[in-house]
Amino acid sequence: MARARDRLSARGQKAGMNSLADRIVAARLAGTELGDAPRLSLDEGYAVQDAVAAGLGALAGWKIGATNAGGQRFLGVTGPIFGRVPQSGLRQSGERVALGGERPAEAEPEILFRLGADGTVAATHLGIEINRPSRADVFELGVGFIVADNAAHAALVIGPAIPLAALDMQETVTVSLIRDGETVSTGDAAAVLGHPLRALEALSREHPLREGDWIATGAMARACPFAPGDTVVADFGALGRVVAHW
């Protein structure tokens, strides 16, 4: 009887996670606020995320979050967290980012990698990641729910290519994040685990990667609000600029 109850309980938990995943997908695609949401363990969060990813269409790669010590302390984790990048959310610099609904989002400047064979870096780009949690109280729900919610990822804006070797000269890889003409934050590539390649290494230890994957390695500077009508520019100086319009 005990084993039967355990099996029933496990089936019930799986059904509940699948139901949550379906609701997260629906909220993400419509741009609406998710209803009731539970606190989840990190493992439960990734299990739900797997089901969420299946509902978001073709996948183009991964996003990496919590790539600095302060963010990890805040979330109560000891390493980065990961989410999926849907193909439908890829945009080129200057293109309009059309998110469903009008709920506000956030934009953050990042280094992007495009993977070649055997997980090697085939191309390095400047970029902006757009994040939008499905609930306003996401931090109260904890890191398990954040992971289930696809680590808040909404879109990825791809900017110009740069030499991978540029990342070895940290003093040259700086960024200013500008919203509607006003500088919101500044940062550099060293904010991403000391070097963006370390974020890629952390991801590769946890998840299988594919040739052609886009990898958003983590925020170089504090994110800024991003709402309908906004223009956000990530200015990397001599390396180039990335522009996101909503």
Side-chain angles (χ1 to χ4, degrees):
M1 289 293 294
R3 290 181 179 178
R5 285 196 299 270
D6 289 344
R7 287 195 295 270
L8 286 171
S9 176
R11 285 199 292 270
Q13 289 173 355
K14 184 175 181 180
M17 287 186 180
N18 286 339
S19 174
L20 174 60
D22 289 343
R23 293 193 296 115
I24 289 174
V25 170
R28 289 206 150 276
L29 294 179
T32 55
E33 180 96 1
L34 180 72
D36 292 343
R39 294 184 66 88
L40 302 168
S41 71
L42 195 55
D43 286 344
E44 289 171 336
Y46 278 114
V48 172
Q49 187 191 114
D50 288 343
V52 168
L56 294 177
L59 300 178
W62 295 84
K63 67 81 54 86
I64 307 172
T67 51
N68 62 72
Q72 291 172 13
R73 283 195 300 271
F74 180 74
L75 293 178
V77 294
T78 57
I81 61 173
F82 312 107
R84 266 63 168 223
V85 174
Q87 185 76 36
S88 61
L90 295 182
R91 297 291 183 273
Q92 296 297 316
S93 178
E95 290 183 346
R96 192 162 297 279
V97 179
L99 301 180
E102 296 189 350
R103 295 179 58 244
E106 289 189 330
E108 56 189 38
E110 307 209 3
I111 296 296
L112 313 181
F113 293 136
R114 187 79 186 274
L115 298 187
D118 302 322
T120 58
V121 175
T124 305
H125 287 254
L126 308 176
I128 292 176
E129 186 193 6
I130 308 300
N131 288 309
R132 180 163 69 170
S134 295
R135 285 183 60 97
D137 62 350
V138 61
F139 293 117
E140 295 176 20
L141 289 170
V143 68
F145 175 78
I146 293 170
V147 165
D149 192 30
N150 200 32
H153 177 82
L156 190 62
V157 182
I158 302 167
I162 64 170
L164 177 60
L167 300 180
D168 293 329
M169 299 178 288
Q170 298 289 353
E171 68 277 6
T172 69
V173 190
T174 60
V175 66
S176 295
L177 192 61
I178 303 164
R179 176 175 176 260
D180 294 334
E182 180 180 352
T183 298
V184 175
S185 62
T186 60
D188 57 51
V192 184
L193 294 180
H195 194 297
L197 281 174
R198 293 179 185 166
L200 175 60
E201 291 166 0
L203 172 64
S204 68
R205 288 193 294 269
E206 298 294 331
H207 297 284
L209 305 178
R210 307 170 302 173
E211 183 175 0
D213 275 351
W214 284 99
I215 310 298
T217 59
M220 289 175 55
R222 178 171 52 86
C224 74
F226 187 53
D230 285 350
T231 294
V232 171
V233 176
D235 187 345
F236 292 82
L239 292 174
R241 290 156 51 98
V242 188
V243 180
H245 299 294
W246 185 351

